[in-house]
Amino acid sequence: MEAPRLAHAVGSPTSPCEEVIKNLSLEAIQLCERDGNKSQDSGIAEMEELPVPHNIKISNITCDSFKISWDMDSKSKDRITHYFIDLNKKENKNSNKFKHKDVPTKLVAKAVPLPMTVRGHWFLSPRTEYTVAVQTASKQVDGDYVVSEWSEIIEFCTADYSKVHLTQLLEKAEVIAGRMLKLSVFYRNQHKEYFDYIREHHGNAMQPSVKDNSGSHGSPISGKLEGIFFSCNTEFNTGKPPQDSPYGRYRFEIAAEKLFNPNTNLYFGDFYCMYTAYHYVILVVAPVGSPGDEFCKQRLPQLNIKDNKFLTCDEEDGVMVYRHAQDVILEVIYTDPVDLSLGTVAEITGHQLMSLSTANAKKDPSCKTCNISVGR
């Protein structure tokens, strides 16, 4: 029996049939055990003369959709009423089992001109490897199907969040950012050995490194953008950086204007939480025209440095004034090297709170505050 409808497929907008077919649906059906390349579903019979899809092509891949097409022999082509699509995460390609009670891996779509789009955030996640195989099928009057043999198995990987998706995250982050507080410095905490190494091996200059995989799974900066992490949040009662840190007891402080000024661009990178009440916003500060700036310009929403909800820099009475959002924890990535001589390094007096570390932290996929309606 077919389960309730969970997703939709549409014909390619470039195909002769450009109108979206209103009665087209993509429905979840009960999984079958695969024996070799043949279906053994109860109530589904094999029919050799139905054409077997071959030369599968995957295109137009996004974080939660893709287009699929294939070639077929013309024999019995007019008998095809549906396509069966078996979609699995690559690591589970030999195990046809539900990942979640509401997440199908077997889908059935009404036959439409190819290529067609498969989309659905319930079963597609960003930056994830999948396998896909296809059958052609003919629905009978009694509701059962006769099917072809399975096609070959094709592998593909979904994409990162697009600017559209990141803008949705940005809008959700703006809602909880809170009022703006003044700041005067950016700071970076590490162990003493880190700063000793920088002085000895890098000529006193901290070097950008590739961002880890913390935050949203679909973030386009994870594992790709090179930069140096800084913090800028201040304590409400003192207006100064907190004395506690999860990253080490030595702190490099640098005047805000030396990193963030009218010669830098500001980008929104991510919004996430780690099963906690507080939320993190990742911002990227990149010198205009730098490699980091060019990377972000293609992938991230750009913010007005004088007017945004997170981090601002503006001239007041002839002096540059800096402010940060009170109700989110800002993680600022600066994309160029930073010389230690531009600031100071000193030991902090507070505790090393490891529970606050965001290194490779996984985002809470159930949080309604910081998730958007696309694949996690």
Side-chain angles (χ1 to χ4, degrees), residues 136-149:
T136 58
S138 178
K139 190 171 186 177
Q140 307 301 292
V141 293
D142 60 2
D144 285 342
Y145 293 86
V146 291
V147 298
S148 72
E149 293 186 354

Side-chain angles (χ1 to χ4, degrees), residues 91-371:
E91 62 267 28
N92 296 314
K93 66 181 179 180
N94 293 321
S95 177
N96 272 339
K97 296 180 180 178
F98 282 110
K99 284 36 169 209
H100 183 281
K101 65 179 180 179
D102 296 325
V103 184
T105 55
K106 176 76 72 60
L107 309 166
V108 54
K110 289 184 178 179
V112 296
L114 300 175
M116 70 175 181
T117 298
V118 178
R119 67 165 52 89
H121 70 275
W122 285 114
F123 51 87
L124 282 171
S125 296
R127 200 186 282 201
T128 304
E129 292 185 324
Y130 288 92
T131 63
V132 64
V134 187
Q135 286 176 311
T136 58
S138 178
K139 190 171 186 177
Q140 307 301 292
V141 293
D142 60 2
D144 285 342
Y145 293 86
V146 291
V147 298
S148 72
E149 293 186 354
W150 284 102
S151 71
E152 72 272 27
I153 297 174
I154 299 298
E155 299 179 358
F156 71 99
C157 185
T158 48
D160 297 332
Y161 284 158
S162 67
K163 276 189 180 181
V164 171
H165 299 119
L166 287 171
T167 298
Q168 293 175 23
L169 269 182
L170 165 62
E171 291 169 352
K172 292 178 78 74
E174 288 175 335
V175 172
I176 70 161
R179 69 170 179 162
M180 304 291 281
L181 302 177
K182 285 187 178 181
L183 69 102
S184 59
V185 298
F186 290 98
Y187 55 96
R188 173 174 173 80
N189 278 75
Q190 286 287 343
H191 298 285
K192 180 177 182 297
E193 291 76 13
Y194 168 82
F195 294 110
D196 290 341
Y197 185 86
I198 293 300
R199 295 185 184 99
E200 184 177 350
H201 297 281
H202 291 291
N204 216 44
M206 294 184 291
Q207 300 297 314
S209 59
V210 177
K211 183 194 171 298
D212 65 11
N213 289 313
S214 60
S216 300
H217 189 54
S219 174
I221 62 177
S222 293
K224 297 180 181 179
L225 177 67
E226 293 188 356
I228 305 170
F229 264 108
F230 285 91
S231 298
C232 65
N233 290 79
T234 59
E235 292 182 322
F236 177 77
N237 57 338
T238 67
K240 297 180 179 180
Q243 281 299 305
D244 300 324
S245 170
Y247 300 110
R249 295 190 57 81
Y250 282 76
R251 174 173 293 170
F252 171 74
E253 285 191 9
I254 183 171
E257 62 267 20
K258 292 184 179 179
L259 295 187
F260 185 39
N261 53 62
N263 294 318
T264 55
N265 283 327
L266 180 67
Y267 298 90
F268 173 83
D270 200 3
F271 177 45
Y272 70 100
C273 72
M274 303 178 296
Y275 304 89
T276 57
Y278 43 89
H279 282 78
Y280 295 83
V281 168
I282 297 180
L283 302 175
V284 182
V285 175
V288 174
S290 67
D293 189 34
E294 294 303 314
F295 177 95
C296 294
K297 195 174 295 183
Q298 305 300 319
R299 297 168 176 84
L300 306 180
Q302 186 170 349
L303 303 176
N304 183 334
I305 65 171
K306 295 182 179 180
D307 183 20
N308 67 80
K309 299 289 187 180
F310 311 109
L311 181 66
T312 60
C313 147
D314 200 5
E315 186 174 327
E316 298 179 12
D317 299 325
V319 178
M320 296 302 295
V321 176
Y322 296 84
R323 289 183 170 88
H324 70 88
Q326 173 186 354
D327 294 335
V328 292
I329 300 175
L330 297 180
E331 298 181 301
V332 179
I333 301 177
Y334 187 76
T335 62
D336 273 11
V338 176
D339 199 291
L340 294 179
S341 65
L342 296 175
T344 59
V345 176
E347 187 173 5
I348 61 173
T349 59
H351 302 287
Q352 188 169 337
L353 303 176
M354 295 307 296
S355 62
L356 294 179
S357 173
T358 61
N360 289 306
K362 300 304 180 185
K363 180 175 182 175
D364 178 1
S366 65
C367 178
K368 292 180 173 57
T369 300
C370 62
N371 281 294

Side-chain angles (χ1 to χ4, degrees), residues 11-19 60 67 114-115:
S12 166
T14 59
S15 69
C17 183
E18 294 190 1
E19 293 291 324
N60 294 79
K67 285 186 178 180
L114 300 175

